[in-house]
Amino acid sequence: MSDAPKQVTTLDLLEMKSAGKRIVMLTCYDALFARLLDAAGIDVLLVGDSVNQVLGGAESTLSATLDQMIYHTRIVRRGAQRALVVCDMPFLTYQVSREDAIRNAGRVMATTGCHAVKVEGGVHIAPTVRALVEVGIPVMGHIGLTPQSLHALGGPRVQGRDDAAAQRLRDDAVALQVGGAFAVVLELVPATLAGEITQSLTIPTIGIGAGPACDGQVLVLHDMLGLNDEFHAKFVKRFATLADDVRRAAGQFAAEVRAGRYPGPEHSFEK
Ligand code: KIV
């Protein structure tokens, strides 16, 4: 028998919803953090196209490329033994045609070893979700604030606030479930509406800025670790203040090198 922990599957997430067990998801972009998050028992590692902003310094996710996502997903998969690894399909790799979506998502699955892909959109993208699922690619949906449509939505604002917009979100969620998605991310959705959508679906919802009633929660890793300390949003809780630690450690290293205190004899070799 292998000592490797049992791999989380998409079916496990459905069972977790039925059993009332909360799903825990974080973004992850590299093997080192994948190993640490896996050991901490995080269920799902999302290789988000937010990598383009968080690590790449870009203003939005729009310029993330398929090659970039493949590279980061491959290295996350290398570090993860238990967690389900999901790759975010970047802008225009699945919206142009279903053939394109199958070819691009298929390349992601075949070359990275990930377990699923995520696409943004609801009613309009549901036929594409169905086409991907039919060729054997598990799909996580993403509705509410969909960052690839940031400019069309008028910025990072809460979605579904009026009756018509709330109804569109309910319809989007149902369309994704009917299309065969195994879970759906709800981003920046009023808590009551997110709870209502969660109750109405058999697939799990994973919230970010969508209140406590979702079946699971996701945050961007570098936000919750307090590493990305220039990003502030009401829904982000900082569980650590690592940016302070990095600045302190780098400052101390610089001071010790400049003062000739580092390296000392204990860090040096003779002969
Ligand atoms: O790219 C990303 O990090 C995401 C999360 C915000 C869900 O899509």
Side-chain angles (χ1 to χ4, degrees):
M1 283 278 283
S2 138
D3 285 342
K6 186 189 162 299
Q7 172 77 63
V8 176
T9 67
T10 55
L11 295 183
D12 291 332
L13 302 190
L14 289 164
E15 278 169 21
M16 286 170 80
K17 173 165 179 133
S18 311
K21 285 192 195 156
R22 293 272 164 91
I23 298 164
V24 183
M25 174 159 117
L26 282 171
T27 65
C28 186
Y29 314 125
D30 62 53
L32 188 147
F33 270 120
R35 178 169 57 77
L36 297 176
L37 301 182
D38 209 59
I42 303 302
D43 302 309
V44 185
L45 301 184
L46 170 66
V47 189
D49 56 0
S50 53
V51 64
N52 201 44
Q53 296 166 286
V54 178
L55 297 192
E59 273 190 10
S60 76
T61 60
L62 292 176
S63 55
T65 67
L66 196 60
D67 285 343
Q68 191 183 346
M69 297 310 298
I70 285 175
Y71 170 74
H72 285 284
T73 305
R74 199 180 272 150
I75 63 176
V76 166
R77 186 66 187 88
R78 234 177 250 160
Q81 286 196 298
R82 173 185 173 272
L84 184 89
V85 176
V86 180
C87 173
D88 227 353
M89 294 300 293
F91 184 51
L92 290 193
T93 61
Y94 58 95
Q95 295 97 332
V96 176
S97 71
R98 274 170 226 164
E99 288 75 14
D100 242 25
I102 293 174
R103 199 170 297 112
N104 290 329
R107 190 173 147 219
V108 166
M109 298 296 291
T111 60
T112 67
C114 76
H115 308 106
V117 299
K118 176 165 83 57
V119 300
E120 296 183 6
V123 168
H124 296 296
I125 212 68
T128 302
V129 171
R130 165 62 58 206
L132 292 172
V133 170
E134 278 175 359
V135 297
I137 301 175
V139 181
M140 176 180 279
H142 183 161
I143 58 174
L145 188 276
T146 43
Q148 292 172 15
S149 309
L150 189 72
H151 300 300
L153 296 173
R157 52 182 61 190
V158 175
Q159 302 296 304
R161 279 199 145 139
D162 64 53
D163 289 351
Q167 190 52 45
R168 278 198 298 277
L169 278 182
R170 290 187 199 100
D171 295 345
D172 284 339
V174 170
L176 288 170
Q177 173 167 290
V178 171
F182 69 87
V184 57
V185 170
L186 303 181
E187 180 165 352
L188 289 191
V189 174
T192 311
L193 175 61
E196 202 190 295
I197 291 173
T198 300
Q199 287 293 315
S200 73
L201 297 182
T202 54
I203 59 170
T205 60
I206 302 182
I208 174 163
C214 297
D215 297 304
Q217 296 291 328
V218 57
L219 281 175
V220 169
L221 177 66
H222 296 63
D223 297 344
M224 62 78 80
L225 290 180
L227 259 176
N228 190 15
D229 65 345
E230 288 186 351
F231 180 73
H232 303 275
K234 181 176 180 186
F235 62 87
V236 173
K237 176 170 175 181
R238 289 200 182 142
F239 291 82
T241 51
L242 295 194
D244 292 340
D245 292 344
V246 170
R247 277 187 290 262
R248 194 178 312 113
Q252 192 177 333
F253 172 67
E256 291 193 17
V257 168
R258 287 178 187 133
R261 282 201 306 277
Y262 176 84
E266 69 276 32
H267 306 114
S268 307
F269 304 94
E270 295 304 332
K271 284 207 188 147

